[in-house]
Every structure is written in structure tokens, then in C-alpha cells.
């Protein structure tokens, strides 16, 4: 039987972080805060094109136990990182690639403090140093955004401790999310769009987050899978992200070039024009060469798929999708995967095996999720059959001599908060 990786409940996560805190630093933290990982239901490689995506926050969260200090020192320990506590001087934090850069995982945490001050959300030099103990049940490096979960947990902790009040409403949370993006891009030196941090800070339980990446606006779309007897099975392929840096940059560049040829600020405007009937996708593609044509076909069709799935969910409150709507939802997931595999060319053998095995075992639909070249896939399944589908995927991996995958269920959960 393939085990499903269960999330910790709040008391367990908080207890673990408190225990680690006491062991590493002695005494008790001021509090524990937590933030979820996320999985994107549909809308891949649309964020940097000003497009739409539809992530959900996971029940799987990262917990941080924090106690402010009287100085500007940050001491950090994580149950996921061997090597004991790290120490960083907040006044010495510098961007990645410059002298004083913060090596390793600590950059994701101290980067948030740095970014809050840089963005003027807290006066420069005003945030206290702190001791922080981290523990998490978000799988690492699986495309489920353990990095944003860590940043966003730190963000709500610092917001609370410094009395900034930003976490109290969506506008403030949007600013916290922007600071977390800066931490990841500038201090950790990792390219990231903004979907992950938006999901972790702005998602609501029982909903998917329709995120418009052009203006950062969101809509909460009801997504109560259980009401329809459905489950979203996440398959962590354990495949390493290969070549992902160069490939990601190349995809972005091709999209920007295509937008220039088409005379639009971003491919979002092309998608909108096609949707409004001002032009057709065929006419757009006829103006582009081979590589650009394929990439644009993916981006424009993917934005349209996000719109269609969001409309289906909106029309079925509680996501009580009827049989026909379930089939259509599955077809949209399948079409997204085909587009990412064939037109955008960011899939991997492990992802294709996962998707095909899940469908053969009766999933309504399945697709790779995240940037690609490894990471995770999702499958929409009957809730009662989730374990069976997971077993079938595990068997397909064994037959293909691949590393055994890990599984969890994506149940749309709530955002970063005090635990
Ligand atoms: P993903 O976000 O898909 O899980 P990333 O490569 O973006 O993968 O982020 C993973 C990195 O984030 C880790 O290598 C580590 O540096 C940092 N990180 C995430 N979670 C934790 C944690 N619980 N403790 C320490 N570092 C963490
Ligand atoms: Mg990440």
C-alpha cells in the first residue's frame, strides 16, 4: 500500500517547533506561526506572462517558533537541515551574489526581515533580532513550495512581533507576499514568480485562489472537493529538477520575444484578445516561427483553461461538480499536461509515467504541476479510490525502474497565521 503523507495538525506542528526551540536555545518561544505549502491546480508558466493561475494552499505547513532578541542577531535551527544552529547579523545581510550574502537555507528566513525593511514595511533597522526553530511537513524541493511556506511563516511571525498589522487584511498580506518574493529572489537568489507566496498568504480554506498575475488581484473560488466525493492526489515524483535554471530562463525569453513580435506588453493581452474574439489563435500563431509558436500556443491556451476551470467551479458552489463537469475538469487537466509536454516541453519521464498511470487507474484527469523537469503531478480522483490510484502509480514507477514516488492529498487549507 502506498502511504499518503498525512499533514500534522496544528498542535503537533507547534509542539514540534517548540520542542526544537527549547532544545536549541533553551526556554520557550514568544509564539509559533505557520504557513502552508501549495499546489497549482492549473495555469502553469503563465505567471511571468501576466496570466492566470489557480493554486490551493495545502494542509501541510511549516511551523516556526520565534522569540525576539534585544540585539540584531538571528539564530536559526531547522529540523530539516543538519548542522545545528546558524547565526546571522541582520545588519550584515546582503543580496545573493554580493559580499555578505547569506549562504544556504537561512537566506529564506532572514531574507524576509531584510525585505520588510527594504520595502519600507518596517522602518530600517527597527526589527529585532530573533531566535527561530523551524519544523515542517511540506515535502522539500517537490514543487510544493516549502520555500514560500518558510518565508510566509516568518513573515506573519515578524508582522505580529513588530506589531505591523499587515497580516490582518488582504491588502497587507499582498505586501507581505511581495516582501517574501524579494527575500527569495534577492537574498536566496532563486527565481520565483509570486504565485507561491500569494497562495501561502492569501488562500482561504475550501477555496482555490484565482490569481491574476498581471495586477496581483485574487478571487476566492469555492473548491470543496470532499463535497463532490473527489480528492486531489499529489504525486511527488522525487525526480530532481534537471537543467531547470537555463530552461526556465529560455522559456521566459521566448515569451518576451513573442510578445514583442506580436506588439503586446505580455502574452496576457494576446490571450485576452483571442478570448474577446478580436483575433484567433491561428492568426496569432501564423505570425510566429516554430519555437515561439509552440510556446505561445501553450501560454494562450493555458490561460483559457484556467478561466474555464474557474468558471466551472464558480457555477458549482461547494465544487459539487456533476458527472459531466467532473469529466470536463479532468479533460482540462489532461489538456494542460499535453500542452506542457508537447508545446512547452517542460515535462519529464517521471511526470509522464505518473500522469498516464493515474489516468489508467481511473483518475478523471491528471497533469504535471509546478515548473516541470521533475517535481510533482496531480490527479483528480474519486476520494474513495485515492489509495488505489496511488498504488497503481507506485507500481508503474517500479515497472519503469524509477525511484518510488511519495503521495499526499491536497485539501484546500487556510493561509499563514499564528498557530
Ligand atoms: P520547493 O519550494 O519546491 O520545496 P525550493 O528549492 O524552492 O523547493 O525550496 C527548497 C529550499 O527552501 C530548501 O533547500 C531550503 O533551503 C529552504 N527550506 C524550505 N523549507 C525549509 C525548512 N523547513 N527548513 C529549512 N530550510 C527550508
Ligand atoms: Mg520554492
Amino acid at each position: 500500500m502506498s502511504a499518503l503523507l498525512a499533514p500534522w495538525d496544528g498542535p503537533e506542528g507547534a509542539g514540534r517547533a517548540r520542542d526544537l526551540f527549547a532544545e536549541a536555545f533553551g526556554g520557550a518561544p514568544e509564539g509559533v506561526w505557520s504557513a502552508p505549502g501549495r499546489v497549482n491546480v492549473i495555469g502553469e508558466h503563465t505567471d511571468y506572462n501576466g496570466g492566470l493561475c489557480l493554486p490551493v494552499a495545502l494542509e501541510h505547513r511549516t511551523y516556526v517558533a520565534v522569540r525576539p532578541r534585544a540585539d540584531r542577531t538571528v539564530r536559526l535551527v531547522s529540523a530539516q537541515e543538519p548542522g545545528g544552529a546558524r547565526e546571522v547579523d541582520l545588519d550584515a545581510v546582503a543580496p545573493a551574489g554580493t559580499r555578505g550574502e547569506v549562504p544556504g537555507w537561512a537566506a529564506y528566513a532572514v531574507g524576509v526581515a531584510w525585505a520588510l525593511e527594504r520595502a519600507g514595511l518596517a522602518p530600517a533597522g527597527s526589527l529585532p533580532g530573533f531566535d527561530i526553530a523551524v519544523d515542517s511537513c511540506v515535502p522539500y524541493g517537490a514543487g510544493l513550495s516549502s520555500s514560500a511556506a518558510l518565508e510566509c511563516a516568518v513573515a506573519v511571525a515578524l508582522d505580529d512581533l513588530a506589531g505591523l498589522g499587515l497580516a490582518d487584511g488582504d491588502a497587507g498580506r499582498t505586501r507581505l507576499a511581495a516582501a517574501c518574493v524579494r527575500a527569495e529572489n534577492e537574498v536566496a537568489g532563486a527565481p520565483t514568480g509570486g504565485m507561491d507566496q500569494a497562495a501561502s498568504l492569501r488562500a482561504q480554506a475550501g477555496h482555490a485562489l484565482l490569481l491574476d498575475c498581471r495586477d496581483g488581484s485574487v478571487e476566492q473560488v469555492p473548491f470543496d472537493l470532499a463535497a463532490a466525493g473527489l480528492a486531489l492526489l499529489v504525486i511527488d515524483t522525487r525526480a530532481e529538477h534537471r537543467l531547470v535554471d537555463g530552461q526556465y530562463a529560455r522559456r521566459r525569453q521566448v515569451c518576451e520575444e513573442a510578445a514583442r513580435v506580436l506588439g503586446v506588453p505580455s502574452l496576457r493581452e494576446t490571450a485576452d484578445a483571442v478570448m474577446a474574439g478580436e483575433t484567433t489563435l491561428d492568426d496569432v500563431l501564423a505570425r510566429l516561427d516554430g519555437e515561439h509558436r509552440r510556446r505561445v500556443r501553450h501560454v494562450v491556451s493555458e490561460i483559457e483553461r484556467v478561466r474555464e476551470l474557474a468558471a466551472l467551479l464558480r457555477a458549482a458552489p461547494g465544487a459539487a461538480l456533476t458527472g459531466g463537469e467532473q469529466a470536463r475538469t479532468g479533460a482540462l487537466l489532461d489538456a494542460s499536461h499535453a500542452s506542457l509536454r508537447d508545446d512547452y516541453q517542460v515535462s519529464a519521464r517521471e511526470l509522464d509515467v505518473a500522469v498516464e498511470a493515474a489516468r489508467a487507474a481511473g483518475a478523471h484527469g491528471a497533469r504535471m504541476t509546478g515548473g516541470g523537469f521533475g517535481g510533482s503531478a496531480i490527479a483528480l480522483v474519486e476520494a474513495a479510490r485515492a489509495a488505489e490510484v496511488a498504488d497503481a502509480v507506485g507500481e508503474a514507477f517500479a515497472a519503469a525502474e524509477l525511484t518510488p514516488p511519495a503521495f499526499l492529498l491536497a485539501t484546500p487549507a487556510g493561509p499563514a497565521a499564528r498557530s
Side-chain angles (χ1 to χ4, degrees):
M1 269 293 278
S2 304
L4 296 173
L5 177 69
W8 299 335
D9 64 15
E12 179 177 6
R16 282 173 178 260
R18 280 178 192 281
D19 289 349
L20 181 62
F21 187 96
E23 186 189 312
F25 307 120
E30 176 105 5
V32 178
W33 292 260
S34 68
R38 65 96 189 94
V39 71
N40 190 21
V41 179
I42 200 160
E44 221 64 75
H45 287 278
T46 53
D47 55 355
Y48 52 84
N49 289 299
L52 303 169
C53 55
L54 193 70
V56 296
L58 300 174
E59 289 181 314
H60 300 71
R61 300 173 79 92
T62 294
Y63 293 81
V64 299
V66 184
R67 183 173 61 199
R69 297 169 56 93
D71 57 16
R72 291 266 289 170
T73 298
V74 181
R75 291 193 298 173
L76 314 96
V77 66
S78 166
Q80 280 67 53
E81 292 282 340
R86 297 271 315 271
E87 200 169 307
V88 177
D89 175 0
L90 262 188
D91 292 312
V93 174
T98 67
R99 263 182 57 136
E101 74 170 2
V102 183
W105 72 272
Y108 292 89
V110 296
V112 174
W114 178 90
L116 287 171
E117 292 187 356
R118 276 300 166 104
L121 299 176
S126 70
L127 291 175
F130 51 93
D131 292 335
I132 175 171
V134 183
D135 204 349
S136 177
C137 62
V138 181
Y140 234 54
L144 302 176
S145 218
S146 68
S147 58
L150 174 55
E151 292 148 15
C152 297
V154 172
V156 291
L158 294 179
D159 177 68
D160 213 348
L161 291 171
L164 305 179
L166 293 165
D168 297 345
D170 190 62
R173 282 175 173 262
T174 305
R175 300 175 80 187
L176 287 178
C180 292
V181 172
R182 279 192 78 172
E184 183 149 349
N185 289 342
E186 295 177 43
V187 181
T192 173
M195 164 173 57
D196 305 354
Q197 293 78 6
S200 192
L201 279 160
R202 302 172 70 192
Q204 283 177 14
H207 293 77
L209 187 77
L210 177 61
L211 174 64
D212 186 328
C213 301
R214 183 164 55 185
D215 62 8
S217 63
V218 299
E219 179 190 335
Q220 306 289 343
V221 183
F223 194 46
D224 182 357
L225 289 160
L230 296 172
L232 197 59
L233 177 69
V234 179
I235 304 154
D236 168 8
T237 67
R238 305 266 176 98
E240 288 190 24
H241 297 237
R242 287 169 297 247
L243 294 172
V244 71
D245 289 347
Q247 295 286 344
Y248 181 83
R250 177 71 192 149
R251 294 299 180 288
R252 281 188 83 135
Q253 184 195 338
V254 167
C255 289
E256 283 161 19
E257 286 168 5
R260 268 200 298 280
V261 171
L262 297 169
V264 287
S266 75
L267 295 179
R268 168 62 180 279
E269 283 69 38
T270 306
D272 286 354
V274 170
M275 205 200 58
E278 291 159 17
T279 181
T280 67
L281 185 54
D282 285 343
D283 287 344
V284 169
L285 299 178
R287 296 168 61 194
L288 299 167
D289 70 26
E291 188 185 10
H292 294 82
R293 187 177 304 153
R294 289 181 143 188
R295 306 301 186 235
V296 170
R297 187 162 53 197
H298 166 70
V299 172
V300 171
S301 64
E302 185 78 354
I303 292 172
E304 186 48 37
R305 282 185 286 272
V306 179
R307 275 195 233 277
E308 187 178 342
L309 184 50
L312 272 173
L313 294 175
R314 241 183 247 124
L321 300 168
T322 64
E325 289 161 349
Q326 290 178 17
R328 184 63 199 147
T329 300
L332 288 168
L333 299 181
D334 291 348
S336 172
H337 187 77
S339 180
L340 287 157
R341 181 190 59 207
D342 302 334
D343 275 343
Y344 222 64
Q345 298 181 297
V346 292
S347 190
R349 177 157 169 259
E350 292 86 346
L351 293 166
D352 295 340
V353 169
V355 160
E356 277 152 34
R359 278 187 211 135
H364 292 293
R367 61 180 288 269
M368 56 160 278
T369 182
F373 303 110
S376 294
I378 53 170
L380 184 70
V381 300
E382 297 293 321
R385 297 203 49 233
E388 209 178 304
V389 175
D391 283 342
V393 173
E395 281 160 25
F397 269 56
E401 298 186 355
L402 297 171
T403 306
F407 302 94
L408 55 90
L409 295 181
T411 306
R418 187 163 187 152
S419 281

